[in-house]
Amino acid sequence: AELLAERYHFNMGLLMAEQGHLQALGHWEPFLLLFVSLSQVLHLLGPKTEADLEKKPKAAKARIAPAEKQKAAVVENGEEGTETRSLLEQLRGEALKFHKPGENYKTEGYVVTPNTMALLKQHLAITGGQVRTRFPPEPNGILHIGHAKAINFNFGYAKANSGVCFLRYDDTNPEKEEEKYFTAIREMVEWLGYQPYAVTHASDYFDQLYTWALELIRRGQAYVCHQKVEEIKGHNPPPSPWRNRPIEESLLLFEDMRKGKFGEGEATLRMKLVMEDGKMDPVAYRVKFTPHHRTGDKWCIYPTYDYTHCLCDSIEHITHSLCTKEFQARRSSYFWLCNALDVYCPVQWEYGRLNLLYTVVSKRKIIRLVETGAVRDWDDPRLFTLTALRRRGFPPEAINNFCARVGVTVAQATMEPHLLEACAREVLNEQAPRAMAVLEPLKVTITNFPALKALEVLVPNFPADESQGFHKVPFQPTIYIEETDFREEVDKGYKRLAPGQPVGLRHAGYVIAVQNVIKDASGHVIELEVTCTKSDVAEKPKAFIHWVSEPLACEVRLYERL
């Protein structure tokens, strides 16, 4: 019906998309399919008419007020947007084609065992069918702009579907963890407007994880290995000569690891599986003689991410384990481990990382910048850590809006920083009262100033919305403008002040024209003498410039890209 109504103005891309489904069935060659489709269209519509050759008129866009635009992008007080789809709309219900709680088995690649349905039934009894997500940062650094997407996705998906989100610290590497990181991570989550359902730690479950490790050995699915780290690095390491050692021997050796009888690197517990990227027998436990910030020196063995992550998700009855694309290779080990222990198995879903050009977001690289003194600290305003963005003045709504615009994509997104800055401007336009400021002042004397005493000019606090009030600005015979707003010679396209080219003074109601240019001994312009005319009688100028009079001195920090 749409094709007949719109004829050759119809979006043929929709037909191409349908063809993708047919190609997937394997019955059609792409070119043959395209030929058949277009042949049918030609047969149905016949030759093009004059009306078909005319350009399709563009639909008029509804103008959206600035206040509505802000709602358009994010999770802000639970409001939905009106312009593009808000993050809540992107994450709600069927939008992402995610499984419903308890229907994990409907997900492609999910491994179903004889116990799966009984475990899912128990899971539903505990959660009541509630969506549960988690944000699981490692407390070894400050969160950055990429984490903002993860926070918005995890907390946003739970919020959009009336669920809950855990903040779980993945504190399994005591060598790199510091209390300041725990505090800063929670601070940033709350600064972005989210409240965790519960704050948990991987270390809360160390006893249970150890018990399960013993069970894994008893089931013949894990063994103690003595290969060195260097030997098992890479994608084609030699198989472990200890892979088939007796179960009782591995149990005794694992107990010796726990008691500190092996040095660091002398023994590991490895799981018997091959991961999607070809990595064989990932490590589950390693020896580290480093006291833990929460458990002290109770443990000298610590679980790895590959072992801990899925089991903590299982303990907390997470329904959707959302993580970035680089963890896709670990999905098979995620399912394998839960099923090897016969525990509830959540579903891991991957999405694309968010990166920015002209900066680094890798915690390892940022630590190096801090340690070498290239930047002051994690909150150096040239970085794109969340603490740095907050210090620089970015509102949290702007960061959330930016994440909503990037969208929930599977492909990795590498964005320009100016897109984030544009989001900041939109929010600040609504929230921050405007002030005029001059960074590189050039003195301007008005020789025919219209009054014997100084005037005061009313300037709107928010130029786009004058209903939010005004403030008074002094207007005297001496004002200051930006040096860059004046040129002695006019180039094509230059519209600001120059000899013979007047400009308007923003909010003052006057147009000024240059009469005399005063220079110092080196030929540098230090002052302009101008005359002024009221705007309503002067010819309309090409531009209006900002200015200050009786100015206050202030410190302004300008930051370039790293």
Side-chain angles (χ1 to χ4, degrees), residues 85 87-101 103 106 131 153 157 160-162 320 349 408:
R85 289 197 307 158
L87 191 68
L88 281 184
E89 287 174 314
Q90 293 179 50
L91 299 174
R92 183 169 287 128
E94 301 295 320
L96 289 175
K97 309 299 179 193
F98 282 174
H99 68 283
K100 292 177 182 175
E103 296 184 357
K106 292 186 177 180
V131 165
F153 194 6
Y157 182 70
N161 296 283
S162 305
H320 299 76
W349 292 94
V408 181

Short mmCIF file of all heavy atoms in Angstrom, two decimals, residues 85 87-101 103 106 131 153 157 160-162 320 349 408:
data_model
loop_
_atom_site.label_atom_id
_atom_site.label_comp_id
_atom_site.label_asym_id
_atom_site.label_seq_id
_atom_site.Cartn_x
_atom_site.Cartn_y
_atom_site.Cartn_z
N ARG A 85 14.91 9.90 20.24
CA ARG A 85 14.51 8.99 21.32
C ARG A 85 15.41 9.17 22.53
O ARG A 85 16.62 9.16 22.42
CB ARG A 85 14.58 7.55 20.84
CG ARG A 85 13.48 7.22 19.84
CD ARG A 85 13.31 5.74 19.70
NE ARG A 85 14.58 5.09 19.39
CZ ARG A 85 14.81 3.81 19.61
NH1 ARG A 85 13.90 3.05 20.15
NH2 ARG A 85 15.98 3.27 19.30
N LEU A 87 17.17 8.15 26.16
CA LEU A 87 17.82 6.90 26.55
C LEU A 87 16.80 5.92 27.11
O LEU A 87 16.85 4.72 26.84
CB LEU A 87 18.93 7.18 27.57
CG LEU A 87 19.84 5.99 27.84
CD1 LEU A 87 20.68 5.65 26.62
CD2 LEU A 87 20.74 6.23 29.02
N LEU A 88 15.85 6.43 27.89
CA LEU A 88 14.83 5.54 28.47
C LEU A 88 14.03 4.86 27.37
O LEU A 88 13.71 3.68 27.45
CB LEU A 88 13.90 6.33 29.39
CG LEU A 88 14.42 6.63 30.79
CD1 LEU A 88 13.34 7.32 31.61
CD2 LEU A 88 14.88 5.38 31.51
N GLU A 89 13.71 5.63 26.31
CA GLU A 89 12.95 5.03 25.21
C GLU A 89 13.79 3.99 24.47
O GLU A 89 13.28 2.96 24.03
CB GLU A 89 12.51 6.12 24.23
CG GLU A 89 11.40 6.99 24.78
CD GLU A 89 11.08 8.15 23.84
OE1 GLU A 89 12.02 8.82 23.36
OE2 GLU A 89 9.90 8.38 23.59
N GLN A 90 15.09 4.28 24.33
CA GLN A 90 15.97 3.33 23.65
C GLN A 90 16.09 2.02 24.43
O GLN A 90 16.37 0.97 23.86
CB GLN A 90 17.37 3.93 23.49
CG GLN A 90 17.44 5.11 22.53
CD GLN A 90 18.85 5.65 22.45
OE1 GLN A 90 19.80 4.92 22.26
NE2 GLN A 90 18.99 6.96 22.59
N LEU A 91 15.92 2.09 25.75
CA LEU A 91 16.16 0.93 26.60
C LEU A 91 14.89 0.24 27.07
O LEU A 91 14.96 -0.80 27.70
CB LEU A 91 16.96 1.37 27.84
CG LEU A 91 18.34 1.98 27.58
CD1 LEU A 91 18.93 2.50 28.88
CD2 LEU A 91 19.27 0.97 26.94
N ARG A 92 13.74 0.82 26.77
CA ARG A 92 12.51 0.29 27.36
C ARG A 92 11.99 -0.94 26.61
O ARG A 92 12.03 -1.00 25.39
CB ARG A 92 11.43 1.39 27.35
CG ARG A 92 10.12 0.95 28.00
CD ARG A 92 9.18 2.11 28.21
NE ARG A 92 9.65 2.95 29.29
CZ ARG A 92 9.82 4.27 29.20
NH1 ARG A 92 9.57 4.88 28.07
NH2 ARG A 92 10.25 4.97 30.22
N GLY A 93 11.53 -1.91 27.40
CA GLY A 93 10.78 -3.05 26.86
C GLY A 93 11.47 -3.78 25.72
O GLY A 93 12.58 -4.27 25.84
N GLU A 94 10.78 -3.81 24.58
CA GLU A 94 11.24 -4.60 23.43
C GLU A 94 12.30 -3.89 22.61
O GLU A 94 12.83 -4.46 21.66
CB GLU A 94 10.03 -4.92 22.52
CG GLU A 94 8.91 -5.68 23.20
CD GLU A 94 9.34 -7.07 23.64
OE1 GLU A 94 10.06 -7.73 22.89
OE2 GLU A 94 8.97 -7.46 24.76
N ALA A 95 12.63 -2.65 22.96
CA ALA A 95 13.50 -1.84 22.10
C ALA A 95 14.81 -2.53 21.76
O ALA A 95 15.31 -2.42 20.65
CB ALA A 95 13.77 -0.49 22.77
N LEU A 96 15.40 -3.25 22.72
CA LEU A 96 16.71 -3.87 22.50
C LEU A 96 16.63 -5.35 22.14
O LEU A 96 17.65 -5.99 21.95
CB LEU A 96 17.58 -3.70 23.75
CG LEU A 96 18.07 -2.29 24.03
CD1 LEU A 96 18.81 -2.25 25.35
CD2 LEU A 96 18.98 -1.80 22.92
N LYS A 97 15.42 -5.89 22.07
CA LYS A 97 15.25 -7.31 21.78
C LYS A 97 15.93 -8.21 22.82
O LYS A 97 16.37 -9.31 22.50
CB LYS A 97 15.78 -7.66 20.37
CG LYS A 97 15.25 -6.77 19.26
CD LYS A 97 13.73 -6.88 19.13
CE LYS A 97 13.21 -5.97 18.02
NZ LYS A 97 11.75 -5.81 18.05
N PHE A 98 16.06 -7.70 24.02
CA PHE A 98 16.62 -8.52 25.10
C PHE A 98 15.57 -9.52 25.57
O PHE A 98 14.37 -9.32 25.40
CB PHE A 98 17.03 -7.64 26.29
CG PHE A 98 18.33 -6.90 26.09
CD1 PHE A 98 18.76 -5.98 27.04
CD2 PHE A 98 19.13 -7.14 24.99
CE1 PHE A 98 19.96 -5.30 26.89
CE2 PHE A 98 20.34 -6.47 24.82
CZ PHE A 98 20.75 -5.55 25.78
N HIS A 99 16.04 -10.57 26.22
CA HIS A 99 15.13 -11.58 26.76
C HIS A 99 14.37 -11.01 27.97
O HIS A 99 14.84 -10.07 28.62
CB HIS A 99 15.92 -12.82 27.20
CG HIS A 99 16.79 -12.57 28.40
ND1 HIS A 99 17.99 -11.90 28.31
CD2 HIS A 99 16.63 -12.86 29.71
CE1 HIS A 99 18.53 -11.81 29.52
NE2 HIS A 99 17.72 -12.38 30.39
N LYS A 100 13.24 -11.57 28.26
CA LYS A 100 12.51 -11.20 29.46
C LYS A 100 13.08 -12.01 30.64
O LYS A 100 13.59 -13.11 30.44
CB LYS A 100 11.02 -11.51 29.29
CG LYS A 100 10.33 -10.62 28.27
CD LYS A 100 8.89 -11.02 28.08
CE LYS A 100 8.23 -10.13 27.02
NZ LYS A 100 6.86 -10.57 26.71
N PRO A 101 13.01 -11.46 31.85
CA PRO A 101 13.50 -12.22 33.01
C PRO A 101 12.88 -13.61 33.06
O PRO A 101 11.67 -13.78 32.89
CB PRO A 101 13.06 -11.38 34.21
CG PRO A 101 13.02 -9.98 33.67
CD PRO A 101 12.53 -10.11 32.25
N GLU A 103 13.43 -15.90 30.89
CA GLU A 103 13.42 -16.50 29.54
C GLU A 103 14.83 -16.49 28.94
O GLU A 103 15.02 -16.35 27.74
CB GLU A 103 12.44 -15.75 28.63
CG GLU A 103 10.99 -15.88 29.09
CD GLU A 103 10.01 -15.23 28.13
OE1 GLU A 103 10.46 -14.62 27.13
OE2 GLU A 103 8.79 -15.34 28.37
N LYS A 106 15.85 -18.40 25.74
CA LYS A 106 15.45 -17.95 24.40
C LYS A 106 16.55 -17.15 23.71
O LYS A 106 16.43 -16.79 22.55
CB LYS A 106 14.17 -17.11 24.50
CG LYS A 106 12.94 -17.90 24.90
CD LYS A 106 11.69 -17.05 24.83
CE LYS A 106 10.45 -17.88 25.17
NZ LYS A 106 9.20 -17.06 25.10
N VAL A 131 13.74 -7.04 36.49
CA VAL A 131 14.99 -6.85 35.74
C VAL A 131 16.09 -6.46 36.74
O VAL A 131 15.89 -5.58 37.57
CB VAL A 131 14.84 -5.75 34.67
CG1 VAL A 131 16.20 -5.30 34.14
CG2 VAL A 131 13.98 -6.25 33.51
N PHE A 153 23.82 2.89 30.58
CA PHE A 153 23.22 1.69 30.00
C PHE A 153 22.70 0.76 31.10
O PHE A 153 21.55 0.32 31.09
CB PHE A 153 24.26 0.99 29.12
CG PHE A 153 23.69 -0.08 28.21
CD1 PHE A 153 22.32 -0.30 28.10
CD2 PHE A 153 24.54 -0.87 27.44
CE1 PHE A 153 21.81 -1.28 27.26
CE2 PHE A 153 24.03 -1.86 26.60
CZ PHE A 153 22.67 -2.06 26.51
N TYR A 157 18.86 0.91 31.77
CA TYR A 157 18.05 -0.23 31.35
C TYR A 157 17.18 -0.72 32.51
O TYR A 157 16.00 -1.03 32.34
CB TYR A 157 18.94 -1.36 30.83
CG TYR A 157 18.13 -2.54 30.33
CD1 TYR A 157 17.38 -2.45 29.16
CD2 TYR A 157 18.07 -3.73 31.05
CE1 TYR A 157 16.60 -3.50 28.72
CE2 TYR A 157 17.29 -4.80 30.61
CZ TYR A 157 16.56 -4.68 29.45
OH TYR A 157 15.79 -5.72 29.01
N ALA A 160 14.43 1.92 33.07
CA ALA A 160 13.43 1.95 32.00
C ALA A 160 12.48 0.76 32.08
O ALA A 160 11.37 0.81 31.54
CB ALA A 160 14.14 1.97 30.63
N ASN A 161 12.92 -0.31 32.74
CA ASN A 161 12.09 -1.52 32.80
C ASN A 161 11.69 -1.87 34.23
O ASN A 161 11.48 -3.04 34.56
CB ASN A 161 12.84 -2.67 32.14
CG ASN A 161 13.06 -2.42 30.65
OD1 ASN A 161 12.16 -2.57 29.84
ND2 ASN A 161 14.26 -2.00 30.29
N SER A 162 11.61 -0.82 35.08
CA SER A 162 11.16 -0.96 36.47
C SER A 162 11.98 -1.98 37.25
O SER A 162 11.43 -2.73 38.07
CB SER A 162 9.67 -1.35 36.50
OG SER A 162 8.92 -0.41 35.78
N HIS A 320 20.41 -9.40 33.27
CA HIS A 320 21.10 -8.95 32.06
C HIS A 320 22.49 -8.46 32.45
O HIS A 320 22.63 -7.42 33.09
CB HIS A 320 20.31 -7.82 31.38
CG HIS A 320 18.94 -8.21 30.95
ND1 HIS A 320 17.89 -8.35 31.85
CD2 HIS A 320 18.44 -8.52 29.72
CE1 HIS A 320 16.80 -8.72 31.18
NE2 HIS A 320 17.10 -8.83 29.89
N TRP A 349 25.19 -9.81 27.63
CA TRP A 349 24.93 -9.05 26.40
C TRP A 349 26.07 -8.05 26.24
O TRP A 349 26.49 -7.42 27.21
CB TRP A 349 23.61 -8.29 26.49
CG TRP A 349 22.39 -9.15 26.50
CD1 TRP A 349 21.71 -9.61 27.58
CD2 TRP A 349 21.68 -9.63 25.35
NE1 TRP A 349 20.63 -10.36 27.19
CE2 TRP A 349 20.58 -10.39 25.83
CE3 TRP A 349 21.87 -9.51 23.97
CZ2 TRP A 349 19.68 -11.02 24.97
CZ3 TRP A 349 20.96 -10.12 23.12
CH2 TRP A 349 19.87 -10.87 23.62
N VAL A 408 22.67 3.23 22.12
CA VAL A 408 23.10 1.90 22.56
C VAL A 408 23.47 1.12 21.30
O VAL A 408 22.62 0.54 20.65
CB VAL A 408 21.98 1.19 23.33
CG1 VAL A 408 22.47 -0.17 23.80
CG2 VAL A 408 21.57 2.03 24.52
#
